[in-house]
Amino acid sequence: MNHSVKQTPAHQLILNLQVVPLPLVARHEEGPKRVFDLNYEVDATLSGMHAILFVSGESSEKFSLQLPQVKSGINSVEIKLPELESSETQVWQLKIGNNSKDFKLDVDPVRQWHLHISLHSHTDLGFTGPISEIAAIHADNTDQAMALMEDTAHWPSESQFRWTMEISWQLEQYLALRGPEAIDKLKKFLRSGQMELAAMYAGEHVDALGHEEAVRAFYLAAKYRRELKIPVDTAMLCDVPGSTEGLVQIMAKAGIKNFIIADNNFCAPVLKRTDLPRPFNWKSQSGDEITTWYTDHPFFAYIEGRNYGISESVSAARKKLPLRLLEQEKAGYAHNLLHVQYAFDNFRLEFRPALVVREWNEKWEWPKLELSTPRRFFNALRSSGAHIPTRSGDFNEWWTSTFNNYPVETSISKDLHDRIPTIETLSSLFTPWNQSADSQNEAFGKIYHNLLAWDEHSGNGQIWEAEDPEKEKQALAEGYGFIYDAQAELDIQEKRLKEKIGRSFQTAPENSFVVANSLTWERGGEVALEDWKPGESYCIQDHSGESQAHGIVANTHGDIIFRASSVPALGYRTFTVQHQKDCGCNHSPELKTLQSVVKTEDSITLTNGVLEIEVNSSTGEIERFEHLSDGKILDNFTHSDPLGQVQFWESQLADSVQMGRYIRSYYEGVPGQPVQLKLPEVCDVNVRSYTDSRGMEGIEIIYSIEGQNWLTRNLSFDARGKRLVLSYTFHHEGLFSSGLLDRLDHSSGTPSMIYIAFPFSLDSARFNYESTGMSLEAGKNQFKGSNHDFYAIHRWALLRDRDTAVAIYPASSLIADPGEPALMRFRSEYPKDTNALYFRVMPSAGWSNRSWGMGYLEQNLKLHFEIEGFMGSELASCTEQVQRYGAERATDLLASKIDTSTIGKLDCGDRQLVELLGEGLEISTIKPAESHSDDLIIRIRETMGRDTQGRLSLPGYDYQYIAECAITEEIQVWIISESDQKVKLDFQPFEIKTIRYSNHQREAGNT
Ligand SMILES: [Zn+2]
């Protein structure tokens, strides 16, 4: 350990003498020389005199050094002494005239630091300019990087130019701009490792990604890895403070070994609180591991290198770098190898760091600087034999709440997370019975990339400081284009799929249709049959002529809405539609629940024999929510907020948010205690009961100001009568013209948010939720410094105490705060008393106001929640039930009309095409293999966090070989099937398996 020594005895003329042995060794013809910073202060009487320094050690020779003339005040001198071979105690004596001072200094041989500097350009899709301009900048960087690699090829290895493409989007855009032949030149550099391709598609908000979407974030890099034979085993996530545990398995199974999180701590106090070592092996519950590095600079993250003079000059680096390394030594950093990134947002490549590194290494022996790449750094660290500790847990990120700025598009994105795999799976299931050539992978690849580009951290494409309104408009059009293009392309695929399924049948009676199920279990659900006569009455029968629904009237669009039952897992069931007058039956077996509405002067009560809610007629709030069969009141809300109440909250921060400025309270997470804002008194509430077109009763509550409706709430029960359904429509026009948001008393102008409250009378409940690729318990095994303010909820959240559990299914909402609204609270601990979830809706001060007028936000925001209670005997299996219902609610059955003019291969009736048995197992997607589209890929997830065994078979197909693959589809091991293509599969908790069926025993792929 090095010691700096300070001495300030009384009546001395030499004051504040300080020596700092630096981790800096100069090259010298006499041998390496260690650098010490000597500082002292002198009284004015000594000014102009000569100072002499004597240094003697136990083993080393004695030195006397003539120092520069003393000046009044502080004197700083760089001292160079021969580098030691072993630790020793030295005596240092400073003599000025008759004054002298001496002291002892323990000196160790210098720590031999080796810095790996990774140059890249941080990629924001938006933020600094329109996305198309950003793509051009990154393409220019790639060209320049190659030219510089050629120019510096004869330089010493450490200073040869190296460059990293932070995300695979950069390479995709490069090839689109330069033409596919541009890869020939690039390949050489990517293969040699001079240039590195990092593996993620874009800088994702990882915890917001859909299950299959998260997997697809690594598909493009894996394709380049396979086709170009380049090494890709490192992923970078820059700017985003945190990532979620589910991604660890996905990355590891995509052949990724290394992960860099350059955590921008702006509004995210990760570093202030974390105790994670650097790097650490992040281990998931599935047993997968990935070596993870995070940047420890409090506010420069990936810009870090700039702060150490690397982009300026050797003398600038001499001043800053050794102090930074001393800091690392003091902080207990364990390795001699250190990774430093140098990047800026969509910036143009800089060559200067290469010059500085070359000159530095000529002058200084230690520390060594090297232009590197993340992969090169991790490989060097591993071969140094460094011990890397292992940690398990979640690193829930802090920035996902940016999605609240575009709530309509967030609900579209959430819908796509489950809809894309549904369409993809059904397209694959019905492919073998069609002759249609398949560009399916290309189409779905494009859809996923658009979705991933939207779920990236820069948001809607807007420019931080747009000077030109036309530029801003272009940026927003390109940014919003991602999500709307993904949606439109999927609509096209769905339409094609319906036609394809319709042509798959041999013979069928007139007016037959098929209902297809992409889930792993038999299920029922509502479907819409198109092209019938509005107002006409119909009867639905199954293939055997049994009536399924009698007397259903086609709506004004000509749709028959019908609840199909018992549709086989991963298969189909066919039905026929008859005019009611011809059907020959006179009843409908459809389940009707016993609903009733009771009105009094003060309230309206809705009951179905299982659940009962009572709504106050003047406030519009739910006053009671009761589970009748158990005689238990889920809540009477006497001591908490009413269930489903819309609330307005404002944070009270010490400093207002200023983009790009270092504000200490933000980096340190100084909380702003949020306060609830009162609704203006002019707000009217109108409560009524109604019956919908299917005969379901409901309660409607309309909120208005001076005749302008800004919110409609609908309360009803689901078709099975088990769940309370809460629908919200925030009327864009009403919010705008009523001036509601302006009328709120926004006192401090700090971040504000509209919330929906879901409190329950539970006793310190545990909070589990579905996250990306797995489910998690909030607050349990969360890394210190990760986010406790809010969580990104996928299909379900479950609050559970000893006697009761309540599930919430948020169809189109993403972000929920447990316990209480935690807007900028920067909670360092999980709240103890979690009996409520508060879902974030959108900011209440301006609804992403720069997008007004773009047309994107001139639509209503519709949110949909379902609530289900569990008590008594249901408790034991409630998580299984919630997981299943969550999947069913997020995944529609697909109905299409059978085309009787074509002849396919399937028979009418019902049939299961793929069979998967095993508790808690779900198929994520079924698709043609990327490399050979005649191979079939089946991806399976374990969802309950348990070891389990599954059995997969394909009764309707004819494949000879079965292989287990990397998540990116490369064959890893051939499996012996039991018989008839049946395979037994063992699953770890939350494990994802990718199985490949083929008629060719292909070579194992590289990962
Ligand atoms: Zn960024």
Side-chain angles (χ1 to χ4, degrees):
M1 185 54 101
N2 292 315
H3 297 284
S4 56
V5 177
K6 236 178 170 181
Q7 283 191 343
T8 53
H11 72 267
Q12 286 283 351
L13 299 177
I14 305 172
L15 300 165
N16 297 325
L17 183 62
Q18 193 184 16
V19 182
V20 182
L22 294 177
L24 184 66
V25 175
R27 293 185 187 278
H28 198 280
E29 52 197 18
E30 293 162 12
K33 294 216 167 170
R34 175 74 172 272
V35 177
F36 298 78
D37 270 348
L38 172 72
N39 295 293
Y40 62 95
E41 234 173 287
V42 293
D43 188 274
T45 55
L46 299 184
S47 173
M49 298 179 77
H50 282 279
I52 304 170
L53 177 69
F54 299 96
V55 181
S56 59
E58 294 148 343
S59 55
S60 56
E61 48 185 320
K62 285 184 180 170
F63 292 94
S64 67
L65 300 169
Q66 189 83 35
L67 301 187
Q69 225 171 37
V70 172
K71 51 182 188 187
S72 179
I74 297 167
N75 288 261
S76 297
V77 194
E78 181 185 280
I79 305 293
K80 286 180 184 156
L81 297 175
E83 168 58 350
L84 299 174
E85 277 173 14
S86 57
S87 304
E88 67 170 26
T89 305
Q90 296 177 339
V91 177
W92 287 54
Q93 184 185 45
L94 182 68
K95 242 182 161 173
I96 305 170
N98 295 328
N99 297 278
S100 87
K101 173 150 309 166
D102 61 85
F103 58 87
K104 284 182 179 165
L105 180 69
D106 295 328
V107 187
D108 297 327
V110 77
R111 185 149 156 188
Q112 298 182 342
W113 284 100
H114 189 140
L115 267 71
H116 282 250
I117 301 161
S118 291
L119 304 182
H120 60 105
S121 175
H122 170 57
T123 318
D124 287 321
L125 303 188
F127 195 61
T128 65
I131 293 149
S132 51
E133 286 181 16
I134 287 161
I137 290 171
H138 291 289
D140 285 350
N141 284 344
T142 303
D143 283 336
Q144 277 194 43
M146 286 192 285
L148 292 170
M149 282 165 196
E150 275 166 0
D151 290 350
T152 59
H154 60 286
W155 285 23
S157 169
E158 289 85 10
S159 50
Q160 285 173 12
F161 199 78
R162 293 188 179 86
W163 183 253
T164 301
M165 290 184 173
E166 188 190 275
I167 54 176
S168 62
W169 179 85
Q170 275 191 26
L171 183 49
E172 180 189 45
Q173 298 302 305
Y174 181 79
L175 296 178
L177 287 165
R178 299 289 190 266
E181 59 281 1
I183 198 65
D184 287 335
K185 198 176 165 195
L186 195 56
K187 208 155 59 178
K188 182 177 91 182
F189 297 106
L190 287 167
R191 277 187 191 160
S192 72
Q194 288 289 107
M195 178 145 11
E196 175 165 336
L197 175 67
M200 214 181 290
Y201 181 71
E204 309 294 344
H205 277 310
V206 169
D207 55 350
L209 300 181
H211 303 306
E212 181 62 18
E213 182 193 11
V215 173
R216 300 304 176 92
F218 299 92
Y219 258 50
L220 185 64
K223 173 188 152 89
Y224 291 137
R225 180 173 58 196
R226 280 192 305 269
E227 293 179 359
L228 307 177
K229 306 204 180 326
I230 58 171
V232 179
D233 63 7
T234 303
M236 297 177 87
L237 183 61
C238 299
D239 226 6
V240 183
S243 176
T244 207
E245 189 185 332
L247 200 72
V248 172
Q249 169 179 205
I250 291 169
M251 285 193 289
K253 289 199 161 82
I256 308 304
K257 287 193 266 182
N258 313 309
F259 185 35
I260 285 188
I261 302 175
D263 44 313
N264 191 338
N265 279 250
F266 182 71
C267 302
V270 173
L271 288 174
K272 187 72 189 166
R273 296 168 181 168
T274 191
D275 59 358
L276 286 170
R278 284 193 318 149
F280 65 101
N281 287 325
W282 191 354
K283 188 172 181 177
S284 67
Q285 292 179 53
S286 57
D288 295 283
E289 271 184 52
I290 188 152
T291 306
T292 307
W293 176 269
Y294 62 96
T295 313
D296 78 330
H297 197 286
F299 48 91
F300 279 111
Y302 49 87
I303 316 165
E304 190 183 3
R306 170 175 289 193
N307 215 35
Y308 311 138
I310 289 161
S311 57
E312 291 171 65
S313 63
V314 169
S315 60
R318 155 67 185 90
K319 285 196 195 96
K320 299 167 183 173
L321 204 49
L323 297 177
R324 168 65 171 161
L325 297 176
L326 266 189
E327 243 177 58
Q328 294 291 337
E329 289 182 17
K330 281 184 190 141
Y333 178 75
H335 316 285
N336 288 350
L337 286 156
L338 187 73
H339 186 247
V340 173
Q341 286 167 250
Y342 176 52
F344 203 74
D345 300 350
N346 301 319
F347 86 158
R348 291 193 179 273
L349 173 153
E350 281 179 20
F351 180 55
R352 188 125 201 97
L355 293 168
V356 172
V357 166
R358 186 173 70 165
E359 201 186 320
W360 176 279
N361 289 335
E362 282 165 5
K363 186 165 183 188
W364 303 105
E365 184 147 330
W366 299 107
K368 266 199 194 356
L369 304 192
E370 176 170 338
L371 286 191
S372 188
T373 68
R375 174 169 193 267
R376 196 177 166 87
F377 164 70
F378 282 107
N379 285 345
L381 191 72
R382 282 204 187 90
S383 46
S384 78
H387 166 72
I388 300 173
T390 299
R391 297 286 185 274
S392 294
D394 188 44
F395 196 170
N396 193 27
E397 73 133 306
W398 285 90
W399 280 12
T400 319
S401 55
T402 55
F403 281 117
N404 284 115
N405 292 316
Y406 0 94
V408 172
E409 289 74 21
T410 299
S411 70
I412 295 172
S413 166
K414 245 195 130 179
D415 177 51
L416 295 180
H417 291 172
D418 289 300
R419 213 180 125 216
I420 302 171
T422 299
I423 310 290
E424 185 176 51
T425 295
L426 294 177
S427 293
S428 312
L429 281 181
F430 286 88
T431 296
W433 293 279
N434 281 275
Q435 278 73 49
S436 62
D438 221 3
S439 53
Q440 193 182 319
N441 278 336
E442 202 189 322
F444 281 89
K446 212 169 137 202
I447 292 168
Y448 272 117
H449 286 168
N450 273 319
L451 182 64
L452 284 161
W454 173 262
D455 286 342
E456 187 256 10
H457 71 280
S458 324
N460 59 352
Q462 69 175 265
I463 307 174
W464 167 30
E465 282 179 323
E467 277 145 26
D468 178 354
E470 283 307 305
K471 273 267 148 76
E472 176 75 351
K473 229 175 150 179
Q474 184 197 345
L476 287 169
E478 291 179 6
Y480 281 101
F482 286 134
I483 189 72
Y484 287 102
D485 284 354
Q487 190 184 38
E489 284 159 21
L490 189 64
D491 287 345
I492 292 169
Q493 290 304 313
E494 182 174 321
K495 195 164 169 273
R496 283 200 190 139
L497 168 63
K498 283 186 172 179
E499 289 164 7
K500 194 162 100 170
I501 294 179
R503 291 194 304 269
S504 299
F505 288 82
Q506 287 193 16
T507 51
E510 274 308 297
N511 292 333
S512 288
F513 63 95
V514 53
V515 176
N517 174 14
S518 64
L519 291 182
T520 315
W521 51 89
E522 180 186 299
R523 65 171 294 201
E526 221 165 61
V527 292
L529 314 177
E530 295 154 10
D531 296 330
W532 304 94
K533 209 168 166 196
E536 199 92 348
S537 207
Y538 295 94
C539 174
I540 318 280
Q541 297 181 347
D542 71 4
H543 187 60
S544 62
E546 189 99 348
S547 174
Q548 300 293 305
H550 183 73
I552 296 190
V553 180
N555 67 18
T556 49
H557 305 289
D559 294 342
I560 298 174
I561 311 283
F562 149 71
R563 203 186 143 76
S565 62
S566 308
V567 184
L570 297 155
Y572 64 87
R573 187 174 181 196
T574 61
F575 299 88
T576 53
V577 180
Q578 317 245 349
H579 278 280
Q580 198 187 315
K581 54 182 164 42
D582 311 325
C583 73
C585 59
N586 55 9
H587 71 288
S588 171
E590 208 190 6
L591 187 90
K592 282 257 190 260
T593 54
L594 303 161
Q595 285 190 311
S596 69
V597 171
V598 179
K599 289 184 207 176
T600 68
E601 207 168 293
D602 303 324
S603 69
I604 301 181
T605 301
L606 178 66
T607 183
N608 67 0
V610 180
L611 300 172
E612 185 166 301
I613 50 166
E614 188 180 345
V615 174
N616 183 306
S617 304
S618 50
T619 64
E621 299 300 353
I622 299 175
E623 295 197 320
R624 192 166 53 82
F625 176 28
E626 200 168 341
H627 199 287
L628 296 173
S629 62
D630 288 73
K632 285 207 181 185
I633 290 179
L634 280 173
D635 221 316
N636 55 13
F637 310 108
T638 50
H639 53 278
S640 63
D641 295 324
L643 185 73
Q645 187 181 47
V646 172
Q647 301 181 346
F648 299 81
W649 286 79
E650 185 175 62
S651 169
Q652 307 290 313
L653 288 163
D655 305 294
S656 60
V657 179
Q658 274 180 293
M659 195 56 85
R661 257 201 60 205
Y662 173 62
I663 300 164
R664 204 184 63 101
S665 59
Y666 277 46
Y667 288 85
E668 298 199 348
V670 175
Q673 295 300 329
V675 295
Q676 191 175 352
L677 305 178
K678 277 205 183 83
L679 263 180
E681 292 199 347
V682 288
C683 192
D684 288 324
V685 181
N686 212 309
V687 185
R688 69 173 190 101
S689 63
Y690 67 95
T691 307
D692 75 9
S693 57
R694 284 160 295 162
M696 298 287 285
E697 313 266 9
I699 300 174
E700 183 169 73
I701 308 137
I702 296 172
Y703 298 77
S704 61
I705 293 176
E706 291 154 7
Q708 302 286 343
N709 296 349
W710 59 272
L711 169 67
T712 303
R713 294 204 299 153
N714 289 84
L715 307 173
S716 59
F717 300 120
D718 75 321
R720 291 290 178 87
K722 282 190 74 180
R723 301 167 194 99
L724 173 63
V725 179
L726 301 99
S727 299
Y728 294 77
T729 305
F730 289 86
H731 301 281
H732 174 271
E733 181 57 32
L735 276 173
F736 188 72
S737 45
S738 71
L740 168 69
L741 300 180
D742 298 328
R743 290 184 201 226
L744 293 167
D745 181 21
H746 288 290
S747 52
S748 64
T750 55
S752 62
M753 188 61 65
I754 303 178
Y755 276 95
I756 300 175
F758 292 101
F760 301 96
S761 54
L762 297 165
D763 184 21
S764 293
R766 280 159 47 193
F767 165 34
N768 289 83
Y769 65 102
E770 194 184 35
S771 173
T772 303
M774 64 189 301
S775 60
L776 290 169
E777 183 178 338
K780 190 183 171 194
N781 296 333
Q782 251 184 281
F783 294 150
K784 277 185 187 163
S786 69
N787 182 7
H788 294 93
D789 277 1
F790 61 81
Y791 297 81
I793 315 281
H794 288 234
R795 299 159 177 164
W796 56 264
L798 186 69
L799 291 169
R800 179 181 184 162
D801 68 13
R802 271 184 47 206
D803 310 314
T804 318
V806 181
I808 304 181
Y809 306 95
S812 35
S813 297
L814 182 66
I815 304 290
D817 304 2
E820 60 189 339
L823 190 66
M824 312 300 267
R825 249 181 224 268
F826 299 118
R827 291 193 286 217
S828 60
E829 299 282 335
Y830 183 71
K832 280 198 181 66
D833 198 19
T834 312
N835 300 321
L837 285 182
Y838 287 77
F839 276 86
R840 299 188 180 194
V841 177
M842 60 181 160
S844 66
W847 179 353
S848 187
N849 46 14
R850 276 199 279 176
S851 303
W852 285 106
M854 283 299 297
Y856 301 115
L857 295 173
E858 291 176 356
Q859 44 189 318
N860 295 338
L861 173 64
K862 287 175 187 262
L863 303 180
H864 179 97
F865 300 89
E866 294 185 23
I867 290 174
E868 179 174 16
F870 300 90
M871 274 159 259
S873 59
E874 295 171 321
L875 266 182
S877 65
C878 69
T879 316
E880 285 88 342
Q881 291 186 48
V882 166
Q883 177 67 35
R884 278 210 166 198
Y885 182 68
E888 286 186 24
R889 195 203 40 70
T891 312
D892 289 333
L893 290 169
L894 189 115
S896 59
K897 190 156 200 275
I898 294 176
D899 183 348
T900 47
S901 69
T902 57
I903 296 175
K905 288 184 177 166
L906 293 177
D907 296 322
C908 284
D910 50 43
R911 185 166 177 193
Q912 185 168 5
L913 300 167
V914 170
E915 193 177 284
L916 174 66
L917 299 173
E919 259 178 69
L921 298 181
E922 286 180 21
I923 283 182
S924 313
T925 207
I926 301 180
K927 67 184 287 295
E930 295 284 315
S931 60
H932 305 87
S933 60
D934 47 343
D935 288 7
L936 194 68
I937 296 291
I938 299 180
R939 186 154 20 249
I940 306 165
R941 293 194 304 129
E942 197 287 316
T943 61
M944 300 309 300
R946 293 191 292 238
D947 289 332
T948 193
Q949 200 174 67
R951 187 158 291 181
L952 178 68
S953 61
L954 271 62
Y957 295 74
D958 191 21
Y959 288 106
Q960 291 180 51
Y961 302 105
I962 309 168
E964 192 163 345
C965 297
I967 216 165
T968 39
E969 303 183 8
E970 296 82 4
I971 292 160
Q972 289 178 328
V973 58
W974 291 98
I975 308 172
I976 312 297
S977 64
E978 288 181 325
S979 66
D980 201 17
Q981 305 168 56
K982 266 190 195 140
V983 279
K984 230 176 7 183
L985 301 165
D986 290 315
F987 285 81
Q988 301 288 312
F990 299 117
E991 185 177 349
I992 303 169
K993 276 193 194 290
T994 304
I995 307 296
R996 182 179 187 132
Y997 282 79
S998 179
N999 279 322
H1000 306 275
Q1001 196 152 9
R1002 304 184 194 286
E1003 251 178 71
N1006 77 88
T1007 52

